[in-house]
Structures are given as C-alpha cells and as structure tokens.
Amino acid sequence: MVFLSKIVNMNFQSKQLVLVFLLLFLVSCKSKKVLSENSLINKSVVNDTAFVNLKEYSTDFVYDMKYASADNFLKSKVYDCAECYLRFKTVKGLMEANKIFIKKGYKIKLFDCYRPLDIQKKMWKIVPNPIYVANPSKGSIHNRGGAVDITLVDQNGKELDMGTTFDYFGIEASHNYPNFSSKIKRNRKLLKRIMIKQKFNSFDSEWWHYNLKSALNDKVSNAKWKCD
Ligand SMILES: [Zn+2]
C-alpha cells in the first residue's frame, strides 16, 4: 500500500517510468516460465532409445572417462572428449540407482558409457584380443548404449575399495572371487544389489560393468557426439 500511495503521489513522467519497469518485470517472468515449460516438454518427448548426454539430466554423477585419456589398459586416448552418452532408458535407470546410493552417502562414478562402433574398432586395432576388447564384428552392449562401467565414491569423492582397479584383467575382478575382505565383498554387493534392482545385469568377470537388460536387443550404433 505504501508503494501504491507513493506511485499516486509521483509526477506523470515518474509514473510512466515505474509502469515501464513493472511491464518489463512481468514480461521477463513470463518468458522464463515459457522457457522452462518448453524444456520440460522437450524432455518428456525423448524416446527411450534416443541417445542423450547424462550430464543434461543430472549433476549428481562423478566422471572419470578413462578412454578419453591415456590412463587405461590400451595406454591410448580413443575418445576426442569425455562425454557420457547413453540411451535415454539407460539414463533413467542409472538416475534411479544413483538416487538410492545418494541416500546411503555414495554416488556413482562413471568410467565408460556408450561407445560408438568406430571407437570399438579403434580399440580392437590396438588390442585384437577378445579377452580384453569385444570384437567389433559382434558389437558390445556399450555399442548399443545400454552399458556403463562404474564404481561408487563416498562423500569425499573417494572410491570405495572394490578389490581391483577398473579394467583389471584377472580372476580378482570377478564377482565370484572369494579371497577378499568382507569390506570389499560388501562394497561390490552394494553396487550389484542396487543396480540389479534397477533392471541392470552384472557381468561375472568385471565387477564394474552393468548393462540394462532391455538394451540387449537395441541396435549397435555409430552415432557420434560433437566435441567443443
Ligand atoms: Zn563395460
């Protein structure tokens, strides 16, 4: 009311100025609302099998995209930049799992996501051994956008002890390896239990690998993302 009585007492020019400011304020509020409605509409029409960038849907993940650097068993950088693209349904499953981990004080850390077929071929050329790299003639679930290589980090960003590093090729990387401490077994079981609950499959010989069950029949893809 004080504000209104001040406007009434203003001269004509000042009143006009206040009205212009009010109008501008209302217009800016309106355009923000439309924009957020639009982006919601955009997200709701995304097809389950469309490739999307995980970071556009959640900021709650930690990334260490190993193949976008030379810090991997190939000793070679095979991605031009570090991005985590996946089919939308894989993103949804991963976000649901992460929600549960966050409640428990952890977060998912990603090592690898969707891998275009050309990248698979590049890896095969460096290490043409099916024990270490999936043969590109068959394609892997990473090439279908349904697989992730992950671990868990605590609130300080420290990785939970899973017994071996990511991409450790030995019997110790197996879920069934019996000679670890109960703490390591508990960490692996926690990751596995929540991921399986969200309809992911585990892979016996690699504790870090999970793939969405419903992605097994999706097509192998060579769609590539742009790097800045
Ligand atoms: Zn994997």
Side-chain angles (χ1 to χ4, degrees), residues 115 142 147-149 206 208-210:
R115 193 185 296 155
H142 280 285
V148 284
D149 296 329
E206 298 177 356
W208 54 82
H209 178 99
Y210 287 91

Side-chain angles (χ1 to χ4, degrees), residues 60-203:
D60 288 329
F61 289 88
V62 179
Y63 298 90
D64 183 11
M65 308 303 286
K66 290 290 190 190
Y67 303 119
S69 75
D71 179 26
N72 58 59
F73 78 100
L74 304 163
K75 304 278 174 247
S76 178
K77 173 177 154 60
V78 292
Y79 290 121
D80 290 337
C81 56
E83 297 292 351
C84 176
Y85 275 82
L86 291 163
R87 296 211 191 253
F88 188 44
K89 59 183 175 182
T90 318
V91 161
K92 287 193 284 188
L94 211 53
M95 282 167 63
E96 284 304 312
N98 208 26
K99 241 189 243 173
I100 302 170
F101 289 129
I102 288 170
K103 273 187 198 152
K104 295 176 183 294
Y106 307 112
K107 272 182 184 179
I108 293 177
K109 182 178 193 174
L110 296 127
F111 297 123
D112 198 26
C113 300
Y114 159 62
R115 193 185 296 155
L117 192 61
D118 276 354
I119 304 292
Q120 191 72 38
K121 287 178 184 167
K122 220 186 216 181
M123 291 166 88
W124 181 253
K125 217 173 166 186
I126 302 167
V127 180
N129 183 336
I131 295 170
Y132 305 110
V133 177
N135 189 328
S137 67
K138 292 178 192 155
S140 78
I141 306 166
H142 280 285
N143 306 138
R144 298 171 203 273
V148 284
D149 296 329
I150 57 175
T151 191
L152 292 174
V153 294
D154 64 17
Q155 279 161 341
N156 299 316
K158 192 173 178 289
E159 285 179 27
L160 266 58
D161 189 353
M162 295 291 183
T164 76
T165 55
F166 162 64
D167 267 354
Y168 177 89
F169 295 103
I171 188 80
E172 294 88 343
S174 166
H175 278 289
N176 306 317
Y177 184 71
N179 303 331
F180 279 132
S181 68
S182 53
K183 191 180 157 196
I184 292 172
K185 286 180 187 167
R186 226 177 20 245
N187 290 343
R188 285 188 180 186
K189 267 188 192 155
L190 171 68
L191 182 60
K192 190 171 171 177
R193 185 166 55 84
I194 306 299
M195 290 303 284
I196 282 176
K197 213 174 169 183
Q198 296 306 323
K199 302 185 176 68
F200 284 85
N201 276 334
S202 64
F203 187 39

